DNA sequence: TTGTAGGCGTTATCAT
DNA sequence: ATGATAACGCCTACAA
């Protein structure tokens, strides 16, 4: 009977006795060209067969799939919110989103996950890619696969400095400056940073802004604890905090490290903020529930996602090669109870 | 010069002076059929042109895109973990994942987001769909679009009872039974539930198991507070808790409602668990940080996701129509400090 | 107002 | 050991 199994224009054409091109034009809104009677028959058949266009074909023909490849792990709320922003913006523009990621922290040379994912995306002819670099040592290797194909690439949250790509994230440097100024304003003179992963650009920027501000005041004693792994960092902080002249103010590279710092400070029998002030970064949910509630910087992940997707769409829909955009959204301090004026000496 | 802009088999064929079908076979691992020299030339050209196969075409030809449509909002950690499980399993099988969702709670009739998303997926010819129903009133409408095309559909977290589809989730009924038994064991005689959204099947199951167990003991006084909106539910609980004979044990439909219950109990000047015991559901992160730390049921979202994806793959890769699977993973109680023996009377 | 023909990139089939 | 051809579903020129 019906030769073709799946609904297609050909099948509609066969059933209605018109040419495929007729079906095509009617279904694509050029019905005014045709006799009302023909249109009706075609539309009716399409509805009856539950016809849906095959976008894969359009993709082949036009080279545009209205699809974005997104490589961001939804492992923390912060990241999920970025994805959320991207998603909403893409959906509004009727784009679909592939989501995939490699959540392994360490870049073992035999792990080709990133490459496999990029190939999955390229082979499906996504129009571009939005990704959050894991750290700047690894990711670079795979970027070639993207650039070689001249696919728009938008980085979020973490920039890769050596490379001129579009980037949407937080103004980390300014944040570091802000927090340092705050510590100075509160008369702290013995200060340290605490965190893991200096190969992550956002952390580096925070530290840079922070240190450059502190260094203006020669009376300040400063120690940087940003190690390659948490255990080492914790060990260092534990040792410092035991000393009589321990730091009175700690800038934690993010709120998770602040949780860790809290524990170390409390174990040493010190109080927050009376003995040690703590400033976090990111404003994760339980920052508010910590005791005392953590003072931290609130970022705008949903907004970052939205902006990233908007830029993505702009890049795609203008054929011209636009110069790379770097957008750093200013975070907002959230003052709670982990910060006070220096009580010491 | 090179006529075609993008790398393709045709282009490789042109550059190397062989036929397209030759290129095709060599690139698909049938090189032993050919002269070494030819293979080398073709491979070299492919590498030089950075050739990547166009999977869209394979999709058209084979009807298989190695792609899943996933409709789950990564709005809570629980859901992100489900997505994580699905992702890992799909990636291992070299499937790609479209992710999209409608996070509007209320089903306004002019909101066609769900339908639009399903069309996005269908039009891109996904091999099947994994989704978490928002509630059983709404989603049904759109399922037709999926069934009509005989696409495998796997439900996660929330089943839709009237419908015989594959489902992977938590054993909610057994959980309700368990918690009720626990309350009875702790000699509570005045008990209530607290939550929002009885049109959500998982909640209904929890309540069913809970109530059916309680009803075996006629000495127990029981009130169900499961309303259509949070404000109403809170109002009811607030009123109850003020009474002299307030409930001494509350089963919250999930941990978020437990947060709300905690506040109401504390505002009434009562202590947890001395005056009122609270049992949550889901084990969200800050359950542990609440004061007192919340006793709750831990679910296994990552596992749910993995199982869902495995089932998805099984459905797709066997042509036969398998009977629907319903898998309910048993959650695990996590005892912390919000639960105690009844002190009253 | 409608139809025909060719092509997009790949593969399977049937030659040579 | 290699080529030619048709087909997948859709679209665009170019007829008629």
């Amino acid at each position: 009977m019906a030769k073709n199994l799946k609904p297609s224009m050909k099948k509609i054409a066969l059933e209605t006795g018109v040419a495929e091109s007729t079906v095509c034009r009617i279904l694509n809104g050029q019905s005014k060209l045709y006799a009302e009677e023909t249109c009706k028959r075609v539309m009716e058949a399409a509805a009856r067969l539950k016809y849906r266009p095959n976008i894969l074909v359009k993709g082949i023909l036009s080279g545009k799939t209205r699809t974005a490849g997104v490589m961001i792990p939804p492992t923390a709320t912060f990241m999920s919110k970025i994805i959320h922003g991207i998603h909403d913006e893409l959906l509004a523009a009727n784009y679909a989103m592939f989501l995939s990621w490699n959540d392994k922290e360490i870049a073992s040379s035999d792990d080709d996950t990133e490459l496999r994912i990029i190939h999955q995306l390229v082979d499906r002819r996504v129009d571009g890619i939005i990704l959050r670099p894991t750290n700047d040592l690894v990711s670079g290797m795979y970027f070639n696969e993207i650039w070689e194909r001249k696919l728009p690439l938008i980085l979020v949250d973490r920039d890769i400095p050596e490379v001129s790509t579009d980037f949407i994230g937080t103004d980390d440097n300014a944040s570091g400056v802000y927090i340092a100024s705050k510590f100075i304003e509160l008369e702290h003179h013995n200060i340290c940073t605490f965190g893991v992963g200096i190969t992550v650009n956002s952390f580096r920027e925070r530290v840079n802004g922070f240190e450059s501000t502190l260094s203006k005041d020669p009376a300040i004693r400063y120690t940087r604890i940003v190690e390659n792994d948490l255990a080492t960092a914790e060990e260092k902080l534990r040792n410092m905090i035991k000393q009589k002249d321990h730091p009175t103010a700690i800038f934690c590279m993010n709120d998770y490290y602040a949780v860790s710092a809290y524990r170390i400070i409390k174990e040493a029998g010190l109080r927050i903020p009376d003995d040690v002030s703590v400033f976090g970064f990111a404003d994760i949910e339980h920052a508010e529930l910590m005791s005392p509630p953590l003072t931290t910087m609130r970022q705008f992940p949903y907004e970052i996602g939205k902006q990233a997707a908007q830029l993505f769409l702009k890049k795609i829909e203008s054929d011209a090669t636009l110069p790379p955009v770097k957008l750093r959204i200013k975070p907002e301090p959230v003052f709670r109870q982990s910060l006070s004026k220096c009580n010491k000496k």
Side-chain angles (χ1 to χ4, degrees), chain A:
Chain A
M1 199 123 305
K3 274 178 96 175
N4 309 292
L5 337 79
K6 304 247 167 134
S8 67
M9 288 192 174
K10 183 188 257 179
K11 202 173 171 193
I12 297 175
L14 250 60
E15 297 229 345
T16 52
V18 298
E20 262 185 82
S21 52
T22 304
V23 176
C24 177
R25 281 182 287 238
I26 290 177
L27 257 30
N28 289 15
Q30 299 176 260
S31 31
K32 49 211 149 179
L33 295 180
Y34 288 91
E36 231 180 81
E37 157 67 6
T38 317
C39 293
K40 213 165 274 173
R41 284 220 326 281
V42 168
M43 311 272 252
E44 179 275 323
R48 186 163 40 79
L49 297 174
K50 294 285 162 188
Y51 172 79
R52 276 265 108 200
N54 188 331
I55 295 207
L56 302 179
V57 178
K58 298 197 193 185
I60 296 176
L61 264 3
S62 68
K64 259 98 195 54
T65 51
R66 291 191 88 82
T67 301
V70 177
M71 292 172 67
I72 305 175
T75 39
T77 308
F78 177 75
M79 249 99 73
S80 293
K81 285 185 179 159
I82 296 181
I83 295 172
H84 211 304
I86 295 173
H87 169 265
D88 289 358
E89 204 65 22
L90 289 180
L91 187 59
N94 204 27
Y95 273 69
M97 170 177 103
F98 278 119
L99 185 71
S100 196
W101 65 87
N102 180 12
D103 54 3
K104 306 215 185 62
E105 281 295 318
I106 308 123
S108 65
S109 47
D110 62 324
D111 177 19
D112 63 340
T113 309
E114 244 111 355
L115 189 58
R116 279 183 51 222
I117 294 174
I118 291 181
H119 281 167
Q120 277 199 345
L121 298 175
V122 169
D123 296 356
R124 286 173 175 75
R125 299 300 188 259
V126 294
D127 295 324
I129 293 180
I130 302 179
L131 72 80
R132 173 186 191 255
T134 49
N135 73 56
D136 32 61
L137 305 177
V138 206
S139 318
M141 307 168 39
Y142 304 115
F143 287 6
N144 277 329
E145 294 285 325
I146 301 174
W147 289 322
E148 278 160 356
R149 299 182 170 81
K150 288 183 271 169
L151 282 177
L153 170 65
I154 318 272
L155 265 32
V156 291
D157 186 39
R158 292 174 174 172
D159 199 3
I160 298 209
E162 302 78 39
V163 144
S164 90
T165 336
D166 300 279
F167 167 75
I168 315 275
T170 300
D171 194 336
D172 290 294
N173 189 81
S175 312
V177 170
Y178 179 88
I179 294 169
S181 316
K182 206 72 205 173
F183 281 173
I184 293 174
E185 182 190 324
L186 295 171
E187 297 173 13
H188 289 279
H189 283 87
N190 193 346
I191 294 175
C192 80
T193 41
F194 176 59
V196 171
I198 199 65
T199 62
V200 170
N201 185 254
S202 51
F203 288 180
R204 214 162 36 214
E205 291 278 314
R206 283 169 213 170
V207 171
N208 285 348
F210 190 73
E211 293 182 351
S212 70
T213 305
L214 289 191
S215 68
K216 285 177 196 152
D217 184 342
I220 285 176
R221 181 158 151 215
Y222 166 72
T223 316
R224 181 207 289 174
I225 305 185
V226 185
E227 307 300 318
N228 284 319
D229 65 297
L230 187 57
T232 312
E234 287 184 329
E235 190 53 31
K236 286 206 178 181
L237 183 59
R238 213 184 317 270
N239 286 335
M240 284 199 63
I241 223 73
K242 277 185 205 148
Q243 309 299 319
K244 212 161 193 173
D245 57 340
H246 61 74
T248 61
I250 305 180
F251 169 29
C252 299
M253 302 316 291
N254 69 37
D255 291 354
Y256 299 100
Y257 301 130
V259 171
S260 171
Y262 265 47
R263 210 184 43 247
I264 290 169
I265 295 167
K266 288 174 181 174
E267 279 170 10
L270 298 177
R271 292 154 307 159
I272 307 167
D274 314 73
D275 300 311
V276 185
S277 284
V278 178
F279 213 120
F281 205 100
D283 193 32
I284 61 175
E285 270 111 355
H286 54 250
E288 197 168 0
L289 300 171
M290 291 165 70
S291 49
L294 180 70
T295 290
T296 186
M297 288 300 244
R298 174 176 300 151
Q299 292 173 283
F300 298 96
Y302 184 81
E303 189 58 26
I304 291 175
K306 282 198 85 151
Q307 297 278 351
Q310 276 170 23
L311 182 56
F312 172 90
L313 294 169
K314 198 166 131 197
K315 288 266 163 178
I316 285 179
E317 283 163 6
S318 87
D319 329 86
T321 318
L322 279 55
V325 173
K326 303 267 183 194
L327 178 61
R328 295 166 212 283
I329 297 174
K330 275 233 159 42
E332 201 176 81
V334 183
F335 291 102
R336 289 197 273 248
Q337 282 102 63
S338 68
L339 191 65
S340 78
K341 199 159 185 183
C342 183
N343 295 318
K344 215 170 177 186
K345 210 174 35 152

